[in-house]
Amino acid sequence: MEIARDFLENYLPHEIRRELDLSTLTADKETFVDPELQPHHSDMLYHVQRLDGADVYIYLLFEHKSWVDRAIGFQLLDYMVQIWKWLQQQGRERSPIIAQVIYHGADKWTAGANFDKLFEGPEALRAYWPSFAFEVYDFSLSNAEQIRGHLYLQTVLHIMRNIFNPQIEQQMPFLMDLLHELTTNPNMIEFLSKALRYLAGGSRYLTEEVLRAEVQRTFPQDGGMIMETVAEIWLKRGHEEGREEGREEGREEGREEGREEGYALALRKTIHQILITRFHNIPEQTQVLLTKVTMPKLEQLINISLDTPDLNTFLMLLESEYLPPEKEA
């Protein structure tokens, strides 16, 4: 709870923060994210009292993709509707939701922070499409967002900022020194384990050898216990030899394939919903065609579905550039 409060105190816009009593911040529910999207999103819902005593809800969505997802507004809208339904089931009044996206991908965030930017049309029709703002905190390497807050929060944000960094190994001494300073508090040992798991499991550019060397340099007294954690991480990543590891790797590959297929299904649903929202009457054949598109082309189609001037242009691009070639008889 302290890290969430620290984040909000340091990053909420001043005009919003001055209306809230952050000492009343309380966690409500851990996730509204579709299980199929959980490898790419994580979230938390909090409620806080305004200075006049009324409730406001703060929804934090963590984007774990390396690329900018221009459809994030649709996903936020879905999560916010789920939250309002959940509040109704709890017998609570529907209240404003301050939606916040925490992004740390490889590229600078360019998708905007207002839902109505996803629509185009004459000014006379503007009142008929949804509009809401959300905050985006861009901690990508290419963005100069200053990292602020107490040491715990700064450590988390620095690790997130570097997870997609091809030069993460050069940053490891700095990151490990932050972790060492934190773990002078015995209560932070569990956080160290989680941080090491996140670094090893989340970065494709960090090798076991470099992580081991940095652990030994930073924690010479406790290295043995910590090294067990590091070894466990790489066992799961498939870097240990042996027949048993081979079977585990096979099971892990199967789980990964399932996660990828679930993510692809969610992308197809999102693309179809974008097309319905923008163009209304969509041929049934469109869904059939989308089932033939595979990753990573589905990720590219998200942006095309948002930018295409009309449905016919989208369908022409889909059939000419994104479908696999027909097999000859």
Side-chain angles (χ1 to χ4, degrees), residues 60 69 71 82 100 175 204-205 268 301 309 318 321 326:
L60 296 180
D69 184 356
Q82 289 186 53
Q100 303 178 83
L175 298 177
R204 70 170 99 173
Y205 304 107
R268 293 186 186 104
L301 273 179
L318 174 62
E321 299 184 25
E326 295 287 341

Side-chain angles (χ1 to χ4, degrees), residues 8 91 137 142 161 173 176 194 211 224-225 242 254 269 284 294 310 326:
L8 296 173
Y137 304 104
S142 54
R161 169 168 277 181
M176 292 301 295
K194 291 179 179 179
L211 184 56
M225 178 187 68
K269 289 180 179 178
E284 292 183 8
T294 56
D310 54 65
E326 295 287 341

Side-chain angles (χ1 to χ4, degrees), residues 39-310:
H40 305 277
H41 290 163
S42 57
D43 64 338
M44 278 295 297
L45 177 68
Y46 300 90
H47 79 263
V48 63
Q49 289 183 349
R50 299 193 320 230
L51 296 182
D52 62 7
D55 280 341
V56 172
Y57 290 85
I58 296 176
Y59 183 65
L60 296 180
L61 179 66
F62 295 85
E63 269 278 51
H64 301 306
K65 302 190 201 73
S66 61
W67 49 278
V68 176
D69 184 356
R70 293 197 58 214
I72 193 67
F74 282 94
Q75 291 156 0
L76 277 175
L77 179 60
D78 181 28
Y79 301 150
M80 291 165 70
V81 170
Q82 289 186 53
I83 291 169
W84 282 315
K85 288 181 177 178
W86 178 77
L87 290 174
Q88 188 174 30
Q89 291 168 359
Q90 300 290 313
R92 302 195 211 177
E93 291 186 8
R94 285 188 292 272
S95 301
I97 299 172
I98 303 171
Q100 303 178 83
V101 176
I102 299 174
Y103 168 76
H104 59 107
D107 302 314
K108 188 173 181 178
W109 183 264
T110 55
N114 198 303
F115 188 77
D116 67 3
K117 299 301 182 185
L118 298 176
F119 297 86
E120 296 178 0
E123 188 65 27
L125 298 181
R126 182 171 293 275
Y128 299 98
W129 61 65
S131 176
F132 65 89
F134 50 93
E135 300 294 327
V136 176
Y137 304 104
D138 182 357
F139 295 106
S140 59
L141 280 174
S142 54
N143 194 49
E145 175 77 62
Q146 182 182 358
I147 289 180
R148 306 186 294 273
H150 296 308
L151 180 62
Y152 190 0
L153 176 62
Q154 288 193 36
T155 303
V156 170
L157 295 179
H158 277 298
I159 290 174
M160 289 175 61
R161 169 168 277 181
N162 281 281
I163 202 69
F164 297 118
N165 182 4
Q167 280 79 50
I168 189 173
E169 293 189 342
Q170 286 90 327
Q171 295 297 314
M172 284 304 294
F174 168 66
L175 298 177
M176 292 301 295
D177 287 346
L178 286 175
L179 288 169
H180 183 266
E181 189 174 350
L182 263 184
T183 51
T184 54
N185 179 346
N187 295 328
M188 289 290 107
I189 298 300
E190 183 179 355
F191 172 71
L192 171 63
S193 175
K194 291 179 179 179
L196 291 175
R197 291 175 190 277
Y198 180 62
L199 284 164
S203 174
R204 70 170 99 173
Y205 304 107
L206 179 61
T207 63
E208 181 181 9
E209 291 72 24
V210 168
L211 184 56
R212 282 181 175 272
E214 280 302 315
V215 168
Q216 290 171 336
R217 177 190 68 83
T218 314
F219 300 96
Q221 303 300 320
D222 305 308
M225 178 187 68
I226 299 170
M227 293 310 295
E228 290 180 7
T229 300
V230 175
E232 180 186 346
I233 294 166
W234 254 271
L235 177 63
K236 290 182 178 179
R237 284 186 61 173
H239 287 266
E240 294 291 329
E241 297 180 352
R243 215 166 34 173
E244 179 59 32
E245 187 278 333
R247 288 195 293 270
E248 174 58 31
E249 182 175 317
R251 289 193 292 270
E252 181 60 31
E253 287 176 357
R255 289 193 291 269
E256 183 62 32
E257 288 176 5
R259 287 194 292 267
E260 286 295 323
E261 181 54 37
Y263 180 49
L265 177 63
L267 285 178
R268 293 186 186 104
K269 289 180 179 178
T270 300
I271 292 168
H272 191 249
Q273 188 59 49
I274 290 171
L275 295 175
I276 291 174
T277 302
R278 295 192 64 200
F279 306 117
H280 308 300
N281 296 321
I282 308 298
E284 292 183 8
Q285 182 67 10
T286 306
Q287 279 188 298
V288 177
L289 293 175
L290 287 173
T291 62
K292 299 178 181 181
V293 185
T294 56
M295 300 286 290
K297 289 186 174 181
L298 278 169
E299 294 176 336
Q300 299 167 12
L301 273 179
I302 286 279
N303 288 341
I304 291 174
S305 68
L306 289 164
D307 293 336
T308 186
D310 54 65

